[in-house]
């Protein structure tokens, strides 16, 4: 992909990256502040939400997080 | 009425505080943005995989491809995330006993059921509206001057299907104790709907048609009027399921 | 007329009959200790009073209104503290009290003043963190605050002290005692010393019925065992007394410890005069002659056996 193409898609990429980051950061904060999980441990979930884009945080919030 | 409003406020507060609202909104926002993008980029990506020897002619992507992505993602991933997030709608409160306290303060059980349903519907509406708005905006940007008929009607059908699904979910939650049981019943009901859809005479009345016929509406292979019966059935059954939930919950030993 | 009246209450779970015709009457402005063994049906009774459980038969009236299962109308007069109160972990105490107040229909300003008063009373004034991070004792105290929020005529506490350490227990009892003037308190427990400390009335639930009911002093009078503690000048007199022929009777129970002899008369026809007669016949003047007061524990043991 060259620069002109990148420019064309910037209106997509900027909000997309922001949304993805927001999701990852929220999940990461939650992982670190609520150390109870239905399965797995802190390190595993922290790596998951940081490095597996989109799917990681979703998995964490839907099936990974434990009770308050 | 007062109990209903107060509890609705508490539900909304809960969804924000437990990040459920944020997750739903972000998931649907991300889908909203990626739908048209994926439609536009699929041929480009495929082309980059092609070696010199092979030539495949790819059709130019259109707005239809963007909406195909929209309906695919919303009905699959979107709805799955929603159902899992909401599966603990009653069980989380009942197993911990947080509700008992409020019930002993004069909150009626009917208000609990109604406000929980309202809140889920609100979250679903906001999410699907955001997703639709974003996909719409970007589709117009990427594929200008392309007309998609029946679009609003098609999305409204999907929205109504969500209402039906949430009613089923609430009913299952009132029926059983655990969130897994609630998920299980909801999945069974959906599977039953999908299986019944094979029979052509039922398809006309089946609520799931509202989530499967969306592209057909856009390309014109399905008449809008053919879904009127399914709309009627879905609305009716949503109301029945919500009322049943309230009745079951009223008599539940806590 | 009592603030809470229970008539002929029956409830069974499967084949297990928990309540077999319970009758109870709680007068206004009393602290009512509701005692029973674990599993005697204390929590079941309370849940029926709150309309959370369905009774098989019988009636419950709160402030003259009959309680119906599944409805919550009568609960506006009741404040309830569950044995392990659970709150929404993501709220702070003020937010939770606001929610409770709004449900009961208090005005905004009323909620604010009441919340501040009550948090002060239960010592959570400076606890501004989320309830999720509260200790058990703190949750119990917040439980009392939410129960008292709408100034209920009847406060029902389900084992408020059993999960707490001695300091936490003392604090809770003090708070209950402080609330006494404004409301009627029914609290279940199996810790008799708690009842002794703050209750003026006691009811013992045993085998699905009340085995004992009334004010504590009344009951003590009624259950005054024909028990006497007699102290002699020397061990010789004590031995002499212990071995008297007149006292060798199956309904008389003697036990000696040094100079002191304890006499228990289980025959209701006999009383202190009989022993005094024996003493005067033997021409012994004891150092001390005392009618023994029954303890709550002995009363409890007697009725549940």
């Amino acid at each position: 992909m060259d620069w002109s193409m990148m420019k064309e898609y910037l209106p997509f990429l900027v909000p997309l990256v922001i949304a993805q980051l927001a999701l990852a950061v929220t999940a990461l904060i939650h992982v670190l502040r609520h150390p109870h999980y239905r399965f797995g441990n802190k390190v595993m979930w922290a790596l998951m939400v940081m490095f597996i884009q989109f799917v990681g945080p979703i998995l964490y919030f839907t099936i990974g997080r434990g009770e308050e | 009425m007062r109990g209903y409003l107060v509890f609705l406020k508490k539900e909304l507060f809960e969804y924000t505080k437990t990040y459920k609202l944020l997750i739903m909104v972000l998931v649907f926002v991300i889908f909203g943005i990626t739908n048209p993008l994926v439609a536009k980029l699929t041929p480009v990506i495929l082309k980059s995989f092609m070696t010199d020897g092979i030539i495949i002619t790819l059709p130019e992507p259109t707005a239809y491809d963007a909406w195909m992505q929209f309906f695919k993602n919303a009905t699959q991933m979107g709805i799955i995330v929603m159902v899992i997030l909401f599966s603990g709608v009653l069980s989380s409160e009942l197993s911990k006993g947080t509700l008992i306290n409020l019930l002993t303060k004069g909150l009626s059980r009917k208000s609990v059921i109604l406000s929980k349903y309202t809140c889920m519907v609100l979250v679903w509406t906001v999410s699907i509206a955001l997703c639709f708005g974003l996909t719409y905006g970007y589709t117009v940007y990427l594929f200008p001057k392309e007309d998609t008929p029946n679009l609003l009607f098609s999305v409204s059908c999907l929205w109504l299907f969500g209402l039906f699904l949430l009613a089923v979910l609430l009913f299952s939650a009132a029926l059983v104790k655990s969130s897994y049981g609630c998920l299980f019943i909801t999945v069974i009901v959906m599977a039953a709907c999908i299986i019944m859809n094979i029979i052509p005479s039922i398809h006309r009345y089946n609520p799931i048609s509202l989530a499967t016929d969306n592209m057909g509406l856009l390309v014109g292979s399905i008449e809008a009027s053919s879904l009127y019966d399914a709309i009627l059935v879905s609305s009716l059954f949503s109301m029945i399921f919500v009322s049943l939930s309230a009745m079951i919950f009223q008599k539940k030993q806590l | 007329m009592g603030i809470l009246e229970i008539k002929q209450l029956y409830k069974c779970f499967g084949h297990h009959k928990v309540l077999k015709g319970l009758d109870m009457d709680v007068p206004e402005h009393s602290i009512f200790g509701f005692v029973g063994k674990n599993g005697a049906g204390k929590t079941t009774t309370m849940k029926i009073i709150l309309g959370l459980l369905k009774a098989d038969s019988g009636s419950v009236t709160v402030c003259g209104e009959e309680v119906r299962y599944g409805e919550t109308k009568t609960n506006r007069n009741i404040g309830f503290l569950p044995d392990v109160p659970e709150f929404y972990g993501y709220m702070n105490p003020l937010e939770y009290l606001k929610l409770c107040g709004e449900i009961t229909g208090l005005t905004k300003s009323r909620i604010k003043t009441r919340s501040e008063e009550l948090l002060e009373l239960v010592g959570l004034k400076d606890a501004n963190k989320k309830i999720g991070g509260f200790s058990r004792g703190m949750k119990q105290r917040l439980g009392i605050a939410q129960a008292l929020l709408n100034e209920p005529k009847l406060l029902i506490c389900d084992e408020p002290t059993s999960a707490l350490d001695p300091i936490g227990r003392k604090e809770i009892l003090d708070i209950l005692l402080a609330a006494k003037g404004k409301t009627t308190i029914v609290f279940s427990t199996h810790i008799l010393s708690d009842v002794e400390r703050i209750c003026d009335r006691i009811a013992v639930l045993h085998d699905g019925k009340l085995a004992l009911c009334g004010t504590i002093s009344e009951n003590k009078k009624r259950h005054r065992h024909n028990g006497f503690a007699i102290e002699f000048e020397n061990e010789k007199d004590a031995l002499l007394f212990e071995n008297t022929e007149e006292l060798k009777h199956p309904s008389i129970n003697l036990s000696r410890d040094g100079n002191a002899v304890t006499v228990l008369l289980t025959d209701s026809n006999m009383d202190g005069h009989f022993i005094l007669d024996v003493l005067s016949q033997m021409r012994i003047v004891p150092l001390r002659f005392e009618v023994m007061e029954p303890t709550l524990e002995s009363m409890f043991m007697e009725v549940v056996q």
Side-chain angles (χ1 to χ4, degrees), chain C residues 133-144:
Chain C
F134 272 25
S135 70
R136 221 158 179 185
M138 288 167 89
K139 279 189 188 169
Q140 207 72 257
R141 282 185 276 164
L142 178 60
I144 295 184

Side-chain angles (χ1 to χ4, degrees), chain B residues 34-227:
Chain B
T34 39
N35 291 332
L37 193 63
V38 169
K40 182 81 177 178
L41 290 182
T42 306
V44 181
I45 293 164
L46 282 180
K47 219 174 270 171
S48 68
F49 284 124
M50 279 178 210
T51 45
D52 297 330
I54 313 157
I55 299 158
I56 305 171
T57 46
L58 288 163
E60 259 312 285
T62 62
Y64 287 106
D65 294 299
W67 290 112
M68 197 138 86
Q69 286 292 327
F70 171 83
F71 287 113
K72 196 190 93 201
N73 283 332
T75 54
Q76 289 169 16
M77 201 50 183
I79 279 190
I80 289 172
V81 168
M82 176 173 82
V83 169
I84 295 178
L85 273 184
F86 289 158
S87 62
V89 62
L90 281 175
S91 66
S92 64
E93 297 226 29
L94 292 183
S95 65
K96 273 198 285 178
T98 44
L99 205 54
I100 291 192
N101 224 342
L102 302 181
L103 290 179
T104 59
K105 293 205 172 299
L107 179 68
S108 79
R109 299 187 184 201
K110 208 162 61 192
S111 306
V112 172
I113 289 290
L114 286 181
S115 50
K116 284 207 176 265
Y117 185 64
T118 315
C119 192
M120 291 197 291
V121 167
L122 275 177
V123 174
W124 162 245
T125 308
V126 168
S127 306
I128 197 77
L130 268 173
C131 189
F132 171 73
L134 284 165
T135 303
Y136 185 81
Y138 281 118
T139 304
V140 170
Y141 170 80
L142 280 180
F143 312 102
K145 290 184 213 144
E146 277 191 50
D147 196 30
T148 36
N150 280 337
L151 183 58
L152 218 53
F153 176 73
S154 188
V155 177
S156 305
C157 284
L158 180 61
W159 173 78
L160 185 63
F161 174 74
L163 262 54
F164 169 75
L165 184 66
L166 290 173
V168 173
L169 185 84
L170 189 69
F171 171 72
S172 330
L175 216 53
V176 290
K177 272 206 169 101
S178 77
S179 60
Y180 297 111
C182 165
L183 267 181
F184 184 72
I185 296 179
T186 312
V187 169
I188 295 282
V189 173
M190 285 307 122
C193 283
I194 291 169
I195 290 167
M196 280 196 292
N197 223 16
I198 297 168
I199 308 165
S201 56
I202 291 181
H203 179 89
R204 195 181 167 79
Y205 303 99
N206 199 335
I208 205 135
S209 308
L210 299 180
T212 54
D213 289 355
N214 311 85
M215 276 318 284
L217 282 170
L218 259 59
V219 297
S221 66
I222 293 169
E223 287 285 316
S225 58
S226 75
L227 280 171

